[in-house]
Amino acid sequence: NRLGLPLLIVGSGSEERRLKRLARPNVKFVGEVSDEKLVDYYRKCKALIFPQEEDFGIVAVEAQAAGSPVIAFKAGGALDTVVPGKTGLFFERQTVPSLISAVRKFQSLKFDTEQLRKSAEGFSKERFKKEFLATVEHYFPENS
């Protein structure tokens, strides 16, 4: 709202009504979307804003896989999935001034789409399966 930049909010939640009342015309709410449409939004966005703390935060990895950097709250799983200056950047506090500062800093940065995608590959299902099986085989070699 304060920066007047375009913001697209995908999904819904308990705060939706309140947020819609506060939103200026630059903020659009699109609600729930198909997986295909979500990927399209990821591909076209300048950045994903990830303001919450989550254990992992698959949304941030999905955005990177689509070639979009992430502006994330510096906590939780984002610490493992966002590489400052390479796949996004952090803001320190869940406050409006902290987020505004991060968005302004973001506007002066450039990100490599290929590097974003490569980083996301580190969280792929295939890698997980391979490493999980290797761990099982290491601890239970008789079952190999």
Side-chain angles (χ1 to χ4, degrees), residues 1-39:
N1 267 348
R2 290 193 190 164
L3 292 174
L5 297 171
L7 177 64
L8 187 70
I9 299 176
V10 178
S12 60
S14 60
E15 293 289 308
E16 184 175 3
R17 276 186 156 156
R18 185 181 72 80
L19 293 174
K20 280 182 175 179
R21 284 194 303 272
L22 296 172
R24 293 185 180 157
N26 57 298
V27 179
K28 303 279 187 253
F29 292 78
V30 297
E32 300 298 325
V33 298
S34 68
D35 289 345
E36 294 80 20
K37 188 66 178 168
L38 182 59
V39 170

Side-chain angles (χ1 to χ4, degrees), residues 49-86:
I49 297 178
F50 192 73
Q52 68 276 14
E53 179 178 353
E54 292 189 12
D55 292 341
F56 179 68
I58 191 69
V59 170
V61 175
E62 289 173 342
Q64 291 173 45
S68 294
V70 179
I71 301 171
F73 174 52
K74 192 175 183 178
L79 296 171
D80 297 320
T81 61
V82 177
V83 181
K86 296 193 185 299

Side-chain angles (χ1 to χ4, degrees), residues 39 42-44 60-69 81 86-87 111-124:
V39 170
Y42 285 147
R43 284 190 188 125
K44 292 178 180 174
V61 175
E62 289 173 342
Q64 291 173 45
S68 294
T81 61
K86 296 193 185 299
T87 65
F111 294 90
D112 178 1
T113 302
E114 210 44 52
Q115 188 173 35
L116 288 157
R117 289 187 179 117
K118 188 173 183 173
S119 178
E121 287 173 8
F123 300 97
S124 71

